[in-house]
Amino acid sequence: NAGVTQTPKFQVLKTGQSMTLQCAQDMNHEYMSWYRQDPGMGLRLIHYSVGAGITDQGEVPNGYNVSRSTTEDFPLRLLSAAPSQTSVYFCASSYLGRPGDTQYFGPGTRLTVL
Amino acid sequence: GESVGLHLPTLSVQEGDNSIINCAYSNSASDYFIWYKQESGKGPQFIIDIRSNMDKRQGQRVTVLLNKTVKHLSLQIAATQPGDSAVYFCAENGGTGGYQKVTFGTGTKLQVIP
């Protein structure tokens, strides 16, 4: 199993540009989530999904959209990038998303918005 | 490399000594408390978790202690090794509706001195 994979590893955008961060898992996990990590602030939950067709907002959802058309994929879309979205983005998955389920994280995407 | 280590409290430990990393949490209703390890340039990796109805749990070389009275969590690493050098995050799972919604702390950098 590849686990959780993310592409791209690095991305530079100009303010106002749009892009999609890709996330895929091959563990047949129902629950997937997106976090952003800023220096000194730990990880903050952006959006999560408990299964195909179901998504919900996390702590910092503004400026981001998600959809979940398949169990394997959970892309994160930035519609109009802003410098405040410069961060490292991590995707994670767990089996059913129950409180005791272990979350597995991808390697991250480092995004810079100029 | 990662800039996540900036502004983080740092614990320096001699190789072979025991390490204790502390964390305060805020949500009395959290079901699970989790420790993650994050090496430079990688995503967080699950180490150990503890349910709210327990006060101690042991794994391989690691022990987590939970004190609900003072909302305190600690991670003890026995016989610390150079490979233990990383940033350690505590996290609490305060999800509603039966699904996990994990809130991360800001992290502690563990530096192992050979």
Side-chain angles (χ1 to χ4, degrees), chain A residues 31 35 37 40 42-43 50 90 94 96-103 105-106 110, chain B residues 1-2 4 31-32 36 38 43-44 46 89 93 98-102 104-106:
Chain A
Y31 184 93
Y35 294 85
Q37 185 174 36
L43 281 78
V50 301
F90 290 100
S94 67
L96 292 176
R98 294 168 303 192
D101 287 349
T102 299
Q103 281 204 97
F105 285 82
R110 181 185 289 271
Chain B
E2 278 292 339
V4 70
D31 290 330
Y32 277 86
Y36 290 94
Q38 187 176 29
F46 171 89
F89 293 95
N93 192 340
Y99 292 107
Q100 55 191 188
K101 273 181 112 171
V102 179
F104 283 76
T106 54

PDB file of all heavy atoms in Angstrom, chain A residues 31 35 37 40 42-43 50 90 94 96-103 105-106 110, chain B residues 1-2 4 31-32 36 38 43-44 46 89 93 98-102 104-106:
ATOM      1  N   TYR A  31     -12.964   7.965   6.093  1.00  0.00           N
ATOM      2  CA  TYR A  31     -12.767   9.308   6.611  1.00  0.00           C
ATOM      3  C   TYR A  31     -11.491   9.914   6.046  1.00  0.00           C
ATOM      4  O   TYR A  31     -10.423   9.299   6.078  1.00  0.00           O
ATOM      5  CB  TYR A  31     -12.672   9.250   8.139  1.00  0.00           C
ATOM      6  CG  TYR A  31     -12.558  10.580   8.835  1.00  0.00           C
ATOM      7  CD1 TYR A  31     -13.686  11.251   9.306  1.00  0.00           C
ATOM      8  CD2 TYR A  31     -11.324  11.171   9.054  1.00  0.00           C
ATOM      9  CE1 TYR A  31     -13.593  12.468   9.957  1.00  0.00           C
ATOM     10  CE2 TYR A  31     -11.216  12.388   9.712  1.00  0.00           C
ATOM     11  CZ  TYR A  31     -12.354  13.022  10.164  1.00  0.00           C
ATOM     12  OH  TYR A  31     -12.253  14.225  10.823  1.00  0.00           O
ATOM     13  N   TYR A  35      -5.645  19.414   6.625  1.00  0.00           N
ATOM     14  CA  TYR A  35      -5.134  20.313   7.642  1.00  0.00           C
ATOM     15  C   TYR A  35      -4.153  21.288   6.995  1.00  0.00           C
ATOM     16  O   TYR A  35      -3.522  20.972   6.004  1.00  0.00           O
ATOM     17  CB  TYR A  35      -4.366  19.541   8.724  1.00  0.00           C
ATOM     18  CG  TYR A  35      -5.193  18.610   9.569  1.00  0.00           C
ATOM     19  CD1 TYR A  35      -5.474  17.317   9.141  1.00  0.00           C
ATOM     20  CD2 TYR A  35      -5.673  19.013  10.813  1.00  0.00           C
ATOM     21  CE1 TYR A  35      -6.222  16.454   9.922  1.00  0.00           C
ATOM     22  CE2 TYR A  35      -6.414  18.146  11.617  1.00  0.00           C
ATOM     23  CZ  TYR A  35      -6.676  16.876  11.157  1.00  0.00           C
ATOM     24  OH  TYR A  35      -7.409  16.018  11.948  1.00  0.00           O
ATOM     25  N   GLN A  37      -0.719  23.651   8.244  1.00  0.00           N
ATOM     26  CA  GLN A  37       0.244  23.804   9.330  1.00  0.00           C
ATOM     27  C   GLN A  37       1.057  25.064   9.114  1.00  0.00           C
ATOM     28  O   GLN A  37       1.774  25.181   8.124  1.00  0.00           O
ATOM     29  CB  GLN A  37       1.168  22.587   9.416  1.00  0.00           C
ATOM     30  CG  GLN A  37       2.119  22.642  10.596  1.00  0.00           C
ATOM     31  CD  GLN A  37       2.925  21.382  10.759  1.00  0.00           C
ATOM     32  OE1 GLN A  37       3.325  20.738   9.799  1.00  0.00           O
ATOM     33  NE2 GLN A  37       3.169  20.997  12.016  1.00  0.00           N
ATOM     34  N   GLY A  40       4.597  27.417  14.419  1.00  0.00           N
ATOM     35  CA  GLY A  40       4.196  27.702  15.793  1.00  0.00           C
ATOM     36  C   GLY A  40       2.733  27.536  16.088  1.00  0.00           C
ATOM     37  O   GLY A  40       2.277  27.921  17.165  1.00  0.00           O
ATOM     38  N   GLY A  42       0.804  24.491  15.150  1.00  0.00           N
ATOM     39  CA  GLY A  42       0.279  23.143  15.038  1.00  0.00           C
ATOM     40  C   GLY A  42      -0.534  22.982  13.758  1.00  0.00           C
ATOM     41  O   GLY A  42      -0.460  23.789  12.843  1.00  0.00           O
ATOM     42  N   LEU A  43      -1.342  21.953  13.683  1.00  0.00           N
ATOM     43  CA  LEU A  43      -2.177  21.687  12.513  1.00  0.00           C
ATOM     44  C   LEU A  43      -3.613  22.115  12.816  1.00  0.00           C
ATOM     45  O   LEU A  43      -4.113  21.887  13.912  1.00  0.00           O
ATOM     46  CB  LEU A  43      -2.168  20.197  12.161  1.00  0.00           C
ATOM     47  CG  LEU A  43      -0.957  19.674  11.409  1.00  0.00           C
ATOM     48  CD1 LEU A  43       0.215  19.468  12.333  1.00  0.00           C
ATOM     49  CD2 LEU A  43      -1.291  18.360  10.701  1.00  0.00           C
ATOM     50  N   VAL A  50     -16.663  12.140   5.750  1.00  0.00           N
ATOM     51  CA  VAL A  50     -16.891  10.849   6.409  1.00  0.00           C
ATOM     52  C   VAL A  50     -17.253   9.759   5.414  1.00  0.00           C
ATOM     53  O   VAL A  50     -17.523   8.629   5.812  1.00  0.00           O
ATOM     54  CB  VAL A  50     -17.960  10.967   7.517  1.00  0.00           C
ATOM     55  CG1 VAL A  50     -17.522  11.996   8.556  1.00  0.00           C
ATOM     56  CG2 VAL A  50     -19.314  11.344   6.935  1.00  0.00           C
ATOM     57  N   PHE A  90      -1.607  19.239   4.794  1.00  0.00           N
ATOM     58  CA  PHE A  90      -1.553  17.793   4.991  1.00  0.00           C
ATOM     59  C   PHE A  90      -2.940  17.190   4.831  1.00  0.00           C
ATOM     60  O   PHE A  90      -3.923  17.716   5.351  1.00  0.00           O
ATOM     61  CB  PHE A  90      -1.027  17.453   6.390  1.00  0.00           C
ATOM     62  CG  PHE A  90       0.418  17.758   6.581  1.00  0.00           C
ATOM     63  CD1 PHE A  90       0.822  18.903   7.227  1.00  0.00           C
ATOM     64  CD2 PHE A  90       1.391  16.873   6.105  1.00  0.00           C
ATOM     65  CE1 PHE A  90       2.166  19.188   7.407  1.00  0.00           C
ATOM     66  CE2 PHE A  90       2.734  17.154   6.273  1.00  0.00           C
ATOM     67  CZ  PHE A  90       3.124  18.311   6.925  1.00  0.00           C
ATOM     68  N   SER A  94      -8.545   7.989   7.919  1.00  0.00           N
ATOM     69  CA  SER A  94      -8.693   6.943   8.930  1.00  0.00           C
ATOM     70  C   SER A  94      -9.844   6.038   8.508  1.00  0.00           C
ATOM     71  O   SER A  94     -10.663   6.401   7.660  1.00  0.00           O
ATOM     72  CB  SER A  94      -8.936   7.526  10.326  1.00  0.00           C
ATOM     73  OG  SER A  94     -10.188   8.173  10.407  1.00  0.00           O
ATOM     74  N   LEU A  96     -12.862   4.640   9.695  1.00  0.00           N
ATOM     75  CA  LEU A  96     -14.252   5.084   9.703  1.00  0.00           C
ATOM     76  C   LEU A  96     -14.409   6.473  10.311  1.00  0.00           C
ATOM     77  O   LEU A  96     -15.518   6.999  10.367  1.00  0.00           O
ATOM     78  CB  LEU A  96     -15.136   4.093  10.485  1.00  0.00           C
ATOM     79  CG  LEU A  96     -15.321   2.714   9.853  1.00  0.00           C
ATOM     80  CD1 LEU A  96     -16.140   1.826  10.786  1.00  0.00           C
ATOM     81  CD2 LEU A  96     -16.022   2.838   8.508  1.00  0.00           C
ATOM     82  N   GLY A  97     -13.287   7.053  10.771  1.00  0.00           N
ATOM     83  CA  GLY A  97     -13.374   8.373  11.378  1.00  0.00           C
ATOM     84  C   GLY A  97     -13.940   8.365  12.777  1.00  0.00           C
ATOM     85  O   GLY A  97     -14.359   9.397  13.287  1.00  0.00           O
ATOM     86  N   ARG A  98     -13.946   7.200  13.436  1.00  0.00           N
ATOM     87  CA  ARG A  98     -14.395   7.157  14.820  1.00  0.00           C
ATOM     88  C   ARG A  98     -13.304   7.721  15.716  1.00  0.00           C
ATOM     89  O   ARG A  98     -12.133   7.727  15.345  1.00  0.00           O
ATOM     90  CB  ARG A  98     -14.720   5.712  15.216  1.00  0.00           C
ATOM     91  CG  ARG A  98     -15.891   5.127  14.469  1.00  0.00           C
ATOM     92  CD  ARG A  98     -15.974   3.648  14.675  1.00  0.00           C
ATOM     93  NE  ARG A  98     -14.744   2.962  14.284  1.00  0.00           N
ATOM     94  CZ  ARG A  98     -14.653   1.649  14.154  1.00  0.00           C
ATOM     95  NH1 ARG A  98     -15.711   0.880  14.378  1.00  0.00           N
ATOM     96  NH2 ARG A  98     -13.528   1.086  13.806  1.00  0.00           N
ATOM     97  N   PRO A  99     -13.666   8.202  16.909  1.00  0.00           N
ATOM     98  CA  PRO A  99     -12.671   8.852  17.776  1.00  0.00           C
ATOM     99  C   PRO A  99     -11.410   8.033  18.022  1.00  0.00           C
ATOM    100  O   PRO A  99     -10.346   8.575  18.145  1.00  0.00           O
ATOM    101  CB  PRO A  99     -13.455   9.088  19.063  1.00  0.00           C
ATOM    102  CG  PRO A  99     -14.860   9.263  18.610  1.00  0.00           C
ATOM    103  CD  PRO A  99     -15.029   8.297  17.462  1.00  0.00           C
ATOM    104  N   GLY A 100     -11.462   6.724  18.104  1.00  0.00           N
ATOM    105  CA  GLY A 100     -10.277   5.910  18.379  1.00  0.00           C
ATOM    106  C   GLY A 100      -9.525   5.445  17.149  1.00  0.00           C
ATOM    107  O   GLY A 100      -8.496   4.779  17.267  1.00  0.00           O
ATOM    108  N   ASP A 101      -9.992   5.798  15.956  1.00  0.00           N
ATOM    109  CA  ASP A 101      -9.321   5.363  14.730  1.00  0.00           C
ATOM    110  C   ASP A 101      -8.036   6.145  14.508  1.00  0.00           C
ATOM    111  O   ASP A 101      -8.013   7.372  14.651  1.00  0.00           O
ATOM    112  CB  ASP A 101     -10.233   5.572  13.509  1.00  0.00           C
ATOM    113  CG  ASP A 101     -11.379   4.576  13.461  1.00  0.00           C
ATOM    114  OD1 ASP A 101     -11.358   3.604  14.243  1.00  0.00           O
ATOM    115  OD2 ASP A 101     -12.294   4.786  12.638  1.00  0.00           O
ATOM    116  N   THR A 102      -6.993   5.446  14.106  1.00  0.00           N
ATOM    117  CA  THR A 102      -5.715   6.090  13.843  1.00  0.00           C
ATOM    118  C   THR A 102      -5.776   6.871  12.530  1.00  0.00           C
ATOM    119  O   THR A 102      -6.253   6.350  11.518  1.00  0.00           O
ATOM    120  CB  THR A 102      -4.598   5.043  13.746  1.00  0.00           C
ATOM    121  OG1 THR A 102      -4.516   4.355  15.001  1.00  0.00           O
ATOM    122  CG2 THR A 102      -3.257   5.695  13.440  1.00  0.00           C
ATOM    123  N   GLN A 103      -5.292   8.100  12.561  1.00  0.00           N
ATOM    124  CA  GLN A 103      -5.193   8.903  11.346  1.00  0.00           C
ATOM    125  C   GLN A 103      -3.817   8.727  10.732  1.00  0.00           C
ATOM    126  O   GLN A 103      -2.802   8.783  11.435  1.00  0.00           O
ATOM    127  CB  GLN A 103      -5.413  10.393  11.641  1.00  0.00           C
ATOM    128  CG  GLN A 103      -6.859  10.788  11.799  1.00  0.00           C
ATOM    129  CD  GLN A 103      -7.084  12.260  11.505  1.00  0.00           C
ATOM    130  OE1 GLN A 103      -7.464  12.644  10.418  1.00  0.00           O
ATOM    131  NE2 GLN A 103      -6.851  13.087  12.497  1.00  0.00           N
ATOM    132  N   PHE A 105      -1.250  10.280   7.873  1.00  0.00           N
ATOM    133  CA  PHE A 105      -1.020  11.537   7.171  1.00  0.00           C
ATOM    134  C   PHE A 105      -0.176  11.340   5.920  1.00  0.00           C
ATOM    135  O   PHE A 105       0.707  10.476   5.869  1.00  0.00           O
ATOM    136  CB  PHE A 105      -0.315  12.536   8.088  1.00  0.00           C
ATOM    137  CG  PHE A 105      -1.219  13.143   9.123  1.00  0.00           C
ATOM    138  CD1 PHE A 105      -1.497  12.460  10.296  1.00  0.00           C
ATOM    139  CD2 PHE A 105      -1.798  14.386   8.916  1.00  0.00           C
ATOM    140  CE1 PHE A 105      -2.347  13.016  11.252  1.00  0.00           C
ATOM    141  CE2 PHE A 105      -2.646  14.944   9.858  1.00  0.00           C
ATOM    142  CZ  PHE A 105      -2.922  14.259  11.029  1.00  0.00           C
ATOM    143  N   GLY A 106      -0.446  12.182   4.932  1.00  0.00           N
ATOM    144  CA  GLY A 106       0.383  12.237   3.746  1.00  0.00           C
ATOM    145  C   GLY A 106       1.628  13.061   3.999  1.00  0.00           C
ATOM    146  O   GLY A 106       1.795  13.632   5.083  1.00  0.00           O
ATOM    147  N   ARG A 110       3.759  21.939   0.208  1.00  0.00           N
ATOM    148  CA  ARG A 110       4.174  23.267   0.668  1.00  0.00           C
ATOM    149  C   ARG A 110       3.730  24.289  -0.367  1.00  0.00           C
ATOM    150  O   ARG A 110       4.196  24.265  -1.502  1.00  0.00           O
ATOM    151  CB  ARG A 110       5.681  23.323   0.868  1.00  0.00           C
ATOM    152  CG  ARG A 110       6.177  24.666   1.378  1.00  0.00           C
ATOM    153  CD  ARG A 110       7.683  24.701   1.442  1.00  0.00           C
ATOM    154  NE  ARG A 110       8.214  23.875   2.513  1.00  0.00           N
ATOM    155  CZ  ARG A 110       8.421  24.296   3.751  1.00  0.00           C
ATOM    156  NH1 ARG A 110       8.131  25.544   4.082  1.00  0.00           N
ATOM    157  NH2 ARG A 110       8.930  23.499   4.654  1.00  0.00           N
TER     158      ARG A 110
ATOM    159  N   GLY B   1      14.219  22.600   4.390  1.00  0.00           N
ATOM    160  CA  GLY B   1      13.496  21.777   5.338  1.00  0.00           C
ATOM    161  C   GLY B   1      12.283  22.476   5.898  1.00  0.00           C
ATOM    162  O   GLY B   1      11.968  23.597   5.543  1.00  0.00           O
ATOM    163  N   GLU B   2      11.585  21.800   6.794  1.00  0.00           N
ATOM    164  CA  GLU B   2      10.373  22.339   7.393  1.00  0.00           C
ATOM    165  C   GLU B   2      10.676  23.552   8.256  1.00  0.00           C
ATOM    166  O   GLU B   2      11.683  23.607   8.943  1.00  0.00           O
ATOM    167  CB  GLU B   2       9.718  21.281   8.272  1.00  0.00           C
ATOM    168  CG  GLU B   2       8.880  20.292   7.532  1.00  0.00           C
ATOM    169  CD  GLU B   2       7.627  20.951   6.948  1.00  0.00           C
ATOM    170  OE1 GLU B   2       7.236  22.021   7.428  1.00  0.00           O
ATOM    171  OE2 GLU B   2       7.086  20.377   5.994  1.00  0.00           O
ATOM    172  N   VAL B   4       8.442  24.282  10.545  1.00  0.00           N
ATOM    173  CA  VAL B   4       7.503  24.092  11.635  1.00  0.00           C
ATOM    174  C   VAL B   4       8.184  24.207  12.976  1.00  0.00           C
ATOM    175  O   VAL B   4       7.539  24.417  13.983  1.00  0.00           O
ATOM    176  CB  VAL B   4       6.804  22.722  11.491  1.00  0.00           C
ATOM    177  CG1 VAL B   4       7.782  21.594  11.771  1.00  0.00           C
ATOM    178  CG2 VAL B   4       5.619  22.619  12.397  1.00  0.00           C
ATOM    179  N   ASP B  31     -12.793  12.678  23.779  1.00  0.00           N
ATOM    180  CA  ASP B  31     -12.820  11.236  24.019  1.00  0.00           C
ATOM    181  C   ASP B  31     -11.433  10.612  24.051  1.00  0.00           C
ATOM    182  O   ASP B  31     -11.179   9.679  24.807  1.00  0.00           O
ATOM    183  CB  ASP B  31     -13.609  10.539  22.897  1.00  0.00           C
ATOM    184  CG  ASP B  31     -15.089  10.834  22.961  1.00  0.00           C
ATOM    185  OD1 ASP B  31     -15.594  11.054  24.062  1.00  0.00           O
ATOM    186  OD2 ASP B  31     -15.724  10.843  21.889  1.00  0.00           O
ATOM    187  N   TYR B  32     -10.590  11.091  23.157  1.00  0.00           N
ATOM    188  CA  TYR B  32      -9.266  10.505  23.003  1.00  0.00           C
ATOM    189  C   TYR B  32      -8.220  11.597  22.989  1.00  0.00           C
ATOM    190  O   TYR B  32      -8.469  12.711  22.515  1.00  0.00           O
ATOM    191  CB  TYR B  32      -9.168   9.728  21.675  1.00  0.00           C
ATOM    192  CG  TYR B  32      -9.712   8.340  21.733  1.00  0.00           C
ATOM    193  CD1 TYR B  32     -11.067   8.106  21.516  1.00  0.00           C
ATOM    194  CD2 TYR B  32      -8.898   7.240  22.000  1.00  0.00           C
ATOM    195  CE1 TYR B  32     -11.587   6.836  21.568  1.00  0.00           C
ATOM    196  CE2 TYR B  32      -9.409   5.967  22.046  1.00  0.00           C
ATOM    197  CZ  TYR B  32     -10.753   5.765  21.835  1.00  0.00           C
ATOM    198  OH  TYR B  32     -11.264   4.501  21.888  1.00  0.00           O
ATOM    199  N   TYR B  36       1.512  12.616  18.394  1.00  0.00           N
ATOM    200  CA  TYR B  36       2.079  12.440  17.075  1.00  0.00           C
ATOM    201  C   TYR B  36       3.540  12.875  17.084  1.00  0.00           C
ATOM    202  O   TYR B  36       3.926  13.785  17.809  1.00  0.00           O
ATOM    203  CB  TYR B  36       1.344  13.298  16.027  1.00  0.00           C
ATOM    204  CG  TYR B  36      -0.059  12.856  15.713  1.00  0.00           C
ATOM    205  CD1 TYR B  36      -1.146  13.415  16.379  1.00  0.00           C
ATOM    206  CD2 TYR B  36      -0.308  11.906  14.729  1.00  0.00           C
ATOM    207  CE1 TYR B  36      -2.441  13.032  16.079  1.00  0.00           C
ATOM    208  CE2 TYR B  36      -1.609  11.520  14.424  1.00  0.00           C
ATOM    209  CZ  TYR B  36      -2.659  12.090  15.111  1.00  0.00           C
ATOM    210  OH  TYR B  36      -3.943  11.704  14.809  1.00  0.00           O
ATOM    211  N   GLN B  38       6.482  14.274  14.391  1.00  0.00           N
ATOM    212  CA  GLN B  38       6.675  14.804  13.048  1.00  0.00           C
ATOM    213  C   GLN B  38       8.158  15.079  12.811  1.00  0.00           C
ATOM    214  O   GLN B  38       8.752  15.957  13.442  1.00  0.00           O
ATOM    215  CB  GLN B  38       5.877  16.085  12.825  1.00  0.00           C
ATOM    216  CG  GLN B  38       5.939  16.569  11.380  1.00  0.00           C
ATOM    217  CD  GLN B  38       5.074  17.784  11.131  1.00  0.00           C
ATOM    218  OE1 GLN B  38       4.837  18.595  12.015  1.00  0.00           O
ATOM    219  NE2 GLN B  38       4.589  17.921   9.905  1.00  0.00           N
ATOM    220  N   GLY B  43       4.933  14.228   7.204  1.00  0.00           N
ATOM    221  CA  GLY B  43       3.659  14.402   7.875  1.00  0.00           C
ATOM    222  C   GLY B  43       3.701  13.813   9.273  1.00  0.00           C
ATOM    223  O   GLY B  43       4.587  13.018   9.607  1.00  0.00           O
ATOM    224  N   PRO B  44       2.759  14.207  10.139  1.00  0.00           N
ATOM    225  CA  PRO B  44       2.709  13.638  11.485  1.00  0.00           C
ATOM    226  C   PRO B  44       2.496  12.128  11.452  1.00  0.00           C
ATOM    227  O   PRO B  44       1.812  11.599  10.578  1.00  0.00           O
ATOM    228  CB  PRO B  44       1.506  14.337  12.117  1.00  0.00           C
ATOM    229  CG  PRO B  44       1.324  15.592  11.337  1.00  0.00           C
ATOM    230  CD  PRO B  44       1.741  15.242   9.937  1.00  0.00           C
ATOM    231  N   PHE B  46       1.397   8.834  13.931  1.00  0.00           N
ATOM    232  CA  PHE B  46       0.777   8.409  15.186  1.00  0.00           C
ATOM    233  C   PHE B  46       1.786   7.660  16.060  1.00  0.00           C
ATOM    234  O   PHE B  46       2.529   6.794  15.589  1.00  0.00           O
ATOM    235  CB  PHE B  46      -0.408   7.489  14.863  1.00  0.00           C
ATOM    236  CG  PHE B  46      -1.017   6.813  16.062  1.00  0.00           C
ATOM    237  CD1 PHE B  46      -2.034   7.436  16.763  1.00  0.00           C
ATOM    238  CD2 PHE B  46      -0.600   5.554  16.470  1.00  0.00           C
ATOM    239  CE1 PHE B  46      -2.625   6.810  17.848  1.00  0.00           C
ATOM    240  CE2 PHE B  46      -1.176   4.932  17.549  1.00  0.00           C
ATOM    241  CZ  PHE B  46      -2.187   5.564  18.250  1.00  0.00           C
ATOM    242  N   PHE B  89       3.584  16.457  18.863  1.00  0.00           N
ATOM    243  CA  PHE B  89       2.323  17.150  19.055  1.00  0.00           C
ATOM    244  C   PHE B  89       1.379  16.304  19.888  1.00  0.00           C
ATOM    245  O   PHE B  89       1.227  15.108  19.626  1.00  0.00           O
ATOM    246  CB  PHE B  89       1.630  17.409  17.710  1.00  0.00           C
ATOM    247  CG  PHE B  89       2.331  18.379  16.819  1.00  0.00           C
ATOM    248  CD1 PHE B  89       3.203  17.941  15.841  1.00  0.00           C
ATOM    249  CD2 PHE B  89       2.104  19.739  16.943  1.00  0.00           C
ATOM    250  CE1 PHE B  89       3.844  18.841  15.008  1.00  0.00           C
ATOM    251  CE2 PHE B  89       2.739  20.647  16.119  1.00  0.00           C
ATOM    252  CZ  PHE B  89       3.611  20.196  15.151  1.00  0.00           C
ATOM    253  N   ASN B  93      -9.246  14.674  20.604  1.00  0.00           N
ATOM    254  CA  ASN B  93     -10.312  14.353  19.681  1.00  0.00           C
ATOM    255  C   ASN B  93     -11.640  14.697  20.330  1.00  0.00           C
ATOM    256  O   ASN B  93     -12.131  13.967  21.177  1.00  0.00           O
ATOM    257  CB  ASN B  93     -10.268  12.877  19.313  1.00  0.00           C
ATOM    258  CG  ASN B  93     -11.162  12.565  18.148  1.00  0.00           C
ATOM    259  OD1 ASN B  93     -12.077  13.333  17.847  1.00  0.00           O
ATOM    260  ND2 ASN B  93     -10.916  11.472  17.484  1.00  0.00           N
ATOM    261  N   GLY B  98     -20.107  11.438  16.722  1.00  0.00           N
ATOM    262  CA  GLY B  98     -19.419  10.155  16.592  1.00  0.00           C
ATOM    263  C   GLY B  98     -18.208  10.180  15.695  1.00  0.00           C
ATOM    264  O   GLY B  98     -17.518   9.175  15.556  1.00  0.00           O
ATOM    265  N   TYR B  99     -17.907  11.313  15.056  1.00  0.00           N
ATOM    266  CA  TYR B  99     -16.748  11.388  14.167  1.00  0.00           C
ATOM    267  C   TYR B  99     -15.632  12.205  14.803  1.00  0.00           C
ATOM    268  O   TYR B  99     -15.865  13.088  15.611  1.00  0.00           O
ATOM    269  CB  TYR B  99     -17.133  11.996  12.823  1.00  0.00           C
ATOM    270  CG  TYR B  99     -18.038  11.101  12.018  1.00  0.00           C
ATOM    271  CD1 TYR B  99     -19.385  11.407  11.865  1.00  0.00           C
ATOM    272  CD2 TYR B  99     -17.552   9.935  11.443  1.00  0.00           C
ATOM    273  CE1 TYR B  99     -20.219  10.575  11.141  1.00  0.00           C
ATOM    274  CE2 TYR B  99     -18.380   9.104  10.712  1.00  0.00           C
ATOM    275  CZ  TYR B  99     -19.708   9.426  10.574  1.00  0.00           C
ATOM    276  OH  TYR B  99     -20.527   8.601   9.862  1.00  0.00           O
ATOM    277  N   GLN B 100     -14.419  11.872  14.370  1.00  0.00           N
ATOM    278  CA  GLN B 100     -13.270  12.541  14.956  1.00  0.00           C
ATOM    279  C   GLN B 100     -13.095  13.941  14.396  1.00  0.00           C
ATOM    280  O   GLN B 100     -13.253  14.173  13.213  1.00  0.00           O
ATOM    281  CB  GLN B 100     -11.991  11.721  14.749  1.00  0.00           C
ATOM    282  CG  GLN B 100     -11.696  11.375  13.331  1.00  0.00           C
ATOM    283  CD  GLN B 100     -10.583  10.337  13.186  1.00  0.00           C
ATOM    284  OE1 GLN B 100     -10.156  10.090  12.089  1.00  0.00           O
ATOM    285  NE2 GLN B 100     -10.107   9.725  14.252  1.00  0.00           N
ATOM    286  N   LYS B 101     -12.791  14.882  15.293  1.00  0.00           N
ATOM    287  CA  LYS B 101     -12.391  16.241  14.928  1.00  0.00           C
ATOM    288  C   LYS B 101     -11.214  16.564  15.827  1.00  0.00           C
ATOM    289  O   LYS B 101     -11.379  16.920  16.984  1.00  0.00           O
ATOM    290  CB  LYS B 101     -13.538  17.233  15.151  1.00  0.00           C
ATOM    291  CG  LYS B 101     -14.477  17.368  13.967  1.00  0.00           C
ATOM    292  CD  LYS B 101     -15.552  18.378  14.242  1.00  0.00           C
ATOM    293  CE  LYS B 101     -15.385  19.601  13.370  1.00  0.00           C
ATOM    294  NZ  LYS B 101     -16.533  20.523  13.465  1.00  0.00           N
ATOM    295  N   VAL B 102     -10.041  16.393  15.254  1.00  0.00           N
ATOM    296  CA  VAL B 102      -8.828  16.434  16.054  1.00  0.00           C
ATOM    297  C   VAL B 102      -8.284  17.850  16.121  1.00  0.00           C
ATOM    298  O   VAL B 102      -8.123  18.518  15.102  1.00  0.00           O
ATOM    299  CB  VAL B 102      -7.776  15.476  15.458  1.00  0.00           C
ATOM    300  CG1 VAL B 102      -6.498  15.519  16.275  1.00  0.00           C
ATOM    301  CG2 VAL B 102      -8.324  14.061  15.414  1.00  0.00           C
ATOM    302  N   PHE B 104      -4.993  19.983  17.350  1.00  0.00           N
ATOM    303  CA  PHE B 104      -3.586  19.808  17.677  1.00  0.00           C
ATOM    304  C   PHE B 104      -3.086  20.916  18.587  1.00  0.00           C
ATOM    305  O   PHE B 104      -3.502  22.076  18.473  1.00  0.00           O
ATOM    306  CB  PHE B 104      -2.738  19.828  16.399  1.00  0.00           C
ATOM    307  CG  PHE B 104      -2.785  18.556  15.619  1.00  0.00           C
ATOM    308  CD1 PHE B 104      -3.896  18.239  14.847  1.00  0.00           C
ATOM    309  CD2 PHE B 104      -1.723  17.675  15.643  1.00  0.00           C
ATOM    310  CE1 PHE B 104      -3.942  17.068  14.117  1.00  0.00           C
ATOM    311  CE2 PHE B 104      -1.756  16.499  14.909  1.00  0.00           C
ATOM    312  CZ  PHE B 104      -2.869  16.194  14.151  1.00  0.00           C
ATOM    313  N   GLY B 105      -2.137  20.563  19.459  1.00  0.00           N
ATOM    314  CA  GLY B 105      -1.394  21.552  20.193  1.00  0.00           C
ATOM    315  C   GLY B 105      -0.299  22.134  19.314  1.00  0.00           C
ATOM    316  O   GLY B 105      -0.141  21.749  18.150  1.00  0.00           O
ATOM    317  N   THR B 106       0.492  23.043  19.869  1.00  0.00           N
ATOM    318  CA  THR B 106       1.492  23.755  19.071  1.00  0.00           C
ATOM    319  C   THR B 106       2.785  22.984  18.901  1.00  0.00           C
ATOM    320  O   THR B 106       3.578  23.303  18.038  1.00  0.00           O
ATOM    321  CB  THR B 106       1.809  25.127  19.679  1.00  0.00           C
ATOM    322  OG1 THR B 106       2.172  24.946  21.048  1.00  0.00           O
ATOM    323  CG2 THR B 106       0.617  26.050  19.591  1.00  0.00           C
TER     324      THR B 106
END
